[in-house]
Amino acid sequence: MTKSLELVIAIIILFSFLFIVVDIYEKPDKSLEINNTVKDLLKLKSQDTEFRELIEDGNTTIIYNNLYTLINSSFTIKICDYIDDNCIIKQELNTINKKAIDYYFADSNKTLSIIFWVE
Amino acid sequence: MKSKKAFMFIITTLIIISLISLLIINIRTIPDNSKLAQNLNENYITEFLILNENPNLNIQNMDNFNNSFVNFIKSHNYNTKMCNIVQNKDNSMIISNYLDKDCNLFIDNDFNRTISNNSTIKIDNFINKMPIYLCNCTYINKDIYYIETYNYNNQIINKNMR
C-alpha cells in the first residue's frame, strides 16, 4: 500500500516536472519575437530607395508613420549622424526599460534606432 | 523507517526538480548577446549587397564603407575582422583587407602583393575565372564578404564563400 502511494506521488512529480519544462520551452519569447519581426522589417525597408531618402533627410515623423502600421508594439525612433551625433528623436522616452535595435545606413552615414519600452 | 526513507526520497526529488526548473528559467531569461553580434553582421551584409549594386563603386567608397562599419561595430562594444572581394562593372576588382593583419594576395595561385591591414586596392583588367585568395576571403566568380564580429565571450562569423 505504502509502495503504491510512493509510486503515485513519484509519477505525479515526474509529470508536473515534464509539464513545467514543456510549458517553459513552448512559451514564445516575446522579446525575441519583436527582434525578429523588426529585424526583417529593417532589412526590407533598407532596400527601399524612398525609405533610404527619408533616412538621409532625417525626417523622423514620416519614418515613424511609415513604420507605425508595421510594428505591433509601442516604440519611438531616433536618427543619428553616423553613430551618436546630432540625433533627431521622435519622442523622448522617460522609461528606464527600453530596448533598441539599430540599423546603420552606410551611404547616408546615418543610424536609425527603433526604441521599444518594455513593460 | 521505510516510509521515512520514501518521504526523504520524494523531498530530495522535489528539491532537485525545483533547482533544475530554476536553472531552465534562468537560461531563458539571460539576454543572448550573440544576437547583437548577429544583427551587426546582418546589417553589414545587407549594406554590402546594396553597395555592390552601385554602378559608381570605387576604392574610396568601399574603403569608407568598411571603415565606418568597423567603427559602428566598435561602438557596440564588439571588435570585427572583415575582408571583401568585389568585381566592378569595368572588369576591375576591388579588394579590402580589414582582418587586423597584413595579408598576402594570390591571384590564380601566384603571389601578387601584400595588402596591409585597413586598406583597399583595385586591380584593373581582371581576367574572369581566376581564383583570388586573401587570407579568409576566397573569390571564385562571385562577390565575396567575410565578417567576424567578436568580443570576450561571443564570436559570430558570416561569409558567402563556398
Side-chain angles (χ1 to χ4, degrees), chain A residues 6-18:
Chain A
E6 286 157 10
L7 189 71
V8 168
I9 292 171
I11 288 169
I12 289 169
I13 292 169
L14 186 70
F15 274 100
S16 312
F17 178 63
L18 287 176

Side-chain angles (χ1 to χ4, degrees), chain B residues 33-34 36-38 40-41 73-74 76-82 98-101 146-157:
Chain B
N33 283 325
S34 64
L36 173 60
Q38 188 59 46
L40 294 167
N41 281 10
I73 290 169
K74 274 186 183 164
H76 287 80
N77 298 322
Y78 271 90
N79 289 312
T80 187
K81 290 176 187 176
M82 54 177 83
Y98 279 77
L99 290 163
D100 220 13
K101 62 180 178 188
Y146 171 93
I147 179 164
E148 177 185 335
T149 300
Y150 62 96
N151 65 5
Y152 58 94
N153 62 354
N154 276 316
Q155 184 197 40
I156 303 284
I157 295 173

